[in-house]
Amino acid sequence: FFSGIHEDYNRPSDDADRINYEGLRSVIAGVYDVVEQVADRDGKLTFQEWGVQSGSISTDVSSTGTYGVYLGTIPDFESTEEGFYIVGVTPGSPAEAGGLMGGDRIIRLGEYEITDLYSYSYALGEYEPGDTIDIVVLRDGLEVTVTVTFASREERE
C-alpha cells in the first residue's frame, strides 16, 4: 500500500509537510476494505504460487532484490502507462549527470526495451558499474536520448 513519492522521499529532507494526507486517507480506506473482506470470508485464504515469467526479471534481481549499478532515478509508482516513469532524479547521481529529469518516461535502457518496473529492474541487472549506455526517454511527446555512466551502489553512499 502506497500513497506516492516525491523528490525528498526517504531522504533526510523528507518531513511531515511532505505527507500526502489525502492519499494516506485513501490508502487507509483501502486497507480497511481488504481487512474487512478477508475477515468476512467463509473459508481460509489459500496460498497461490506466483511464477515469474521468463525474461521479465533477471535471476540476480529476483533472488537478491538488488543489482550492482546505481542510476539515481526516483520512480513514479502511480503511472500505469507503458514505460518507466520517473518523478525526479537524485542530485549528484548518474541520472542527473546524464540529463534525465522528472516527467521522463524511460522506454529503452541500452539495448533493452523498457515497458514497466520489472523490465527496468531486469535491464539494470544486466549492467556493471562504469558501463556507459544510451537511455531513450519520452519527454513532452518526443523521444530524447541521453547517455549515462552507471556508478556502483557503494559510490552513492
Side-chain angles (χ1 to χ4, degrees):
F1 298 102
F2 190 69
S3 67
I5 196 165
H6 51 77
E7 290 189 15
D8 290 326
Y9 184 75
N10 247 3
R11 300 178 57 83
S13 53
D14 195 354
D15 209 343
D17 65 324
R18 302 301 305 248
I19 294 173
N20 174 357
Y21 290 101
E22 188 57 39
L24 186 57
R25 274 191 284 281
S26 177
V27 168
I28 290 170
V31 169
Y32 181 87
D33 289 344
V34 168
V35 170
E36 187 175 49
Q37 288 178 26
V38 169
D40 291 344
R41 285 178 57 98
D42 288 333
K44 292 182 179 181
L45 294 176
T46 57
F47 175 76
Q48 300 291 316
E49 188 76 33
W50 181 76
V52 176
Q53 294 178 345
S54 175
S56 65
I57 275 187
S58 74
T59 304
D60 292 339
V61 173
S62 64
S63 63
T64 66
T66 62
Y67 28 82
V69 297
Y70 170 64
L71 185 56
T73 56
I74 302 171
D76 177 354
F77 291 112
E78 296 177 6
S79 175
T80 57
E81 293 186 44
E82 191 166 291
F84 181 73
Y85 278 86
I86 60 175
V87 296
V89 296
T90 304
S93 67
E96 181 184 56
L100 290 172
M101 57 182 57
D104 284 347
R105 177 169 40 137
I106 298 173
I107 59 172
R108 181 162 290 285
L109 197 73
E111 62 186 80
Y112 299 96
E113 180 181 349
I114 304 302
T115 57
D116 54 25
L117 173 63
Y118 300 108
S119 59
Y120 177 77
S121 295
Y122 169 81
L124 286 179
E126 299 301 309
Y127 292 102
E128 299 291 329
D131 287 349
T132 299
I133 65 163
D134 287 336
I135 297 177
V136 180
V137 301
L138 287 178
R139 181 181 295 161
D140 299 323
L142 301 173
E143 282 193 16
V144 175
T145 301
V146 300
T147 302
V148 300
T149 300
F150 290 113
S152 71
R153 302 213 51 77
E154 291 79 30
E155 288 178 67
R156 75 179 195 157
E157 316 253 316

